[in-house]
Amino acid sequence: MKELSQVADEIAACTACALSRSRTRTVPGEGPDDPSLLFVGEAPGWHEDQQGRPFVGPAGRFLEELLASIGLKRDQVWIGNIVKCRPPDNRDPLPDEISACAHFLERQIALLRPKVLVTLGRYSLARFFPGESISRAHGRPKKQQGIIYFAMYHPAAALHQPSLRRTIEEDMKRIPALLESWDRIAEAQPEEPPVKQLTLF
Ligand code: SF4
């Protein structure tokens, strides 16, 4: 899609935050132009910075395993991050960096229009489930403006905390049902309480 390529070109030329000075390559995200499923992680790591592709290190391999567990390959889903350049030493992205980069992801989502958007990790969670904690919000879908938002732990969390592996695997296994029932899930109203109190099924 021409507009998506244009966003990627703008990302490649972007110097709007300090991360532009330390990056090797920008990581705009990748996948089909009309994905049903879109994953949003946090920030590129070393491997991603070298290759200009998202989720290509150990966490990416686990994400591919998780996708395989529901019968999908990574080229069937779109994968991106909250910020498009690697923070030095893999530190957390700073608020001003997240803010400077936000419009790129917003434009990508508007162009891609997935049925289900899965947040991976706490920075992605904070963007789409403001005020929620990952321990409460994970595995609980909400639908707004035609997209089901579904929070999961970051795959890297399972590499550091093996006890989370099963939780992540179980949350992933709920995604096919979300895709199937996308048209039957009611929209959350803006004035309704946070996601933890919504009953969608
Ligand atoms: Fe631009 Fe985003 Fe990279 Fe910052 S992280 S330089 S805002 S593309």
Side-chain angles (χ1 to χ4, degrees), residues 39 63 66 70 152 168-176:
F39 290 86
L63 180 59
L66 291 166
I70 58 170
M152 287 179 54
I168 295 173
E169 289 170 345
E170 285 173 356
D171 284 344
M172 180 64 86
K173 287 193 174 145
R174 295 197 60 202
I175 290 175

Side-chain angles (χ1 to χ4, degrees), residues 48-154:
E48 290 76 16
D49 178 65
Q50 293 294 308
Q51 297 185 37
R53 299 181 60 211
F55 283 86
V56 288
R61 284 196 287 282
F62 183 38
L63 180 59
E64 288 176 21
E65 273 179 44
L66 291 166
L67 288 169
S69 76
I70 58 170
L72 291 174
K73 295 183 176 158
R74 73 173 279 153
D75 62 6
Q76 293 176 283
V77 303
W78 201 90
I79 305 173
N81 282 304
I82 289 284
V83 296
K84 313 298 191 184
C85 302
R86 180 195 179 210
D89 301 321
N90 290 352
R91 66 157 168 75
D92 291 339
L94 300 174
D96 66 312
E97 294 159 355
I98 293 171
S99 174
C101 211
H103 68 103
F104 288 127
L105 182 62
E106 282 165 17
R107 287 165 61 196
Q108 289 170 321
I109 293 169
L111 291 165
L112 293 163
R113 296 300 303 165
K115 287 183 175 176
V116 176
L117 185 156
V118 180
T119 69
L120 298 172
R122 61 196 167 108
Y123 288 95
S124 186
L125 175 88
R127 165 68 182 77
F128 299 102
F129 293 79
E132 281 290 345
S133 66
I134 187 78
S135 58
R136 284 192 313 183
H138 81 90
R140 307 179 80 109
K142 66 172 179 178
K143 187 176 182 186
Q144 286 178 348
Q145 298 181 325
I147 297 176
I148 297 171
Y149 295 90
F150 186 67
M152 287 179 54
Y153 284 95
H154 197 285

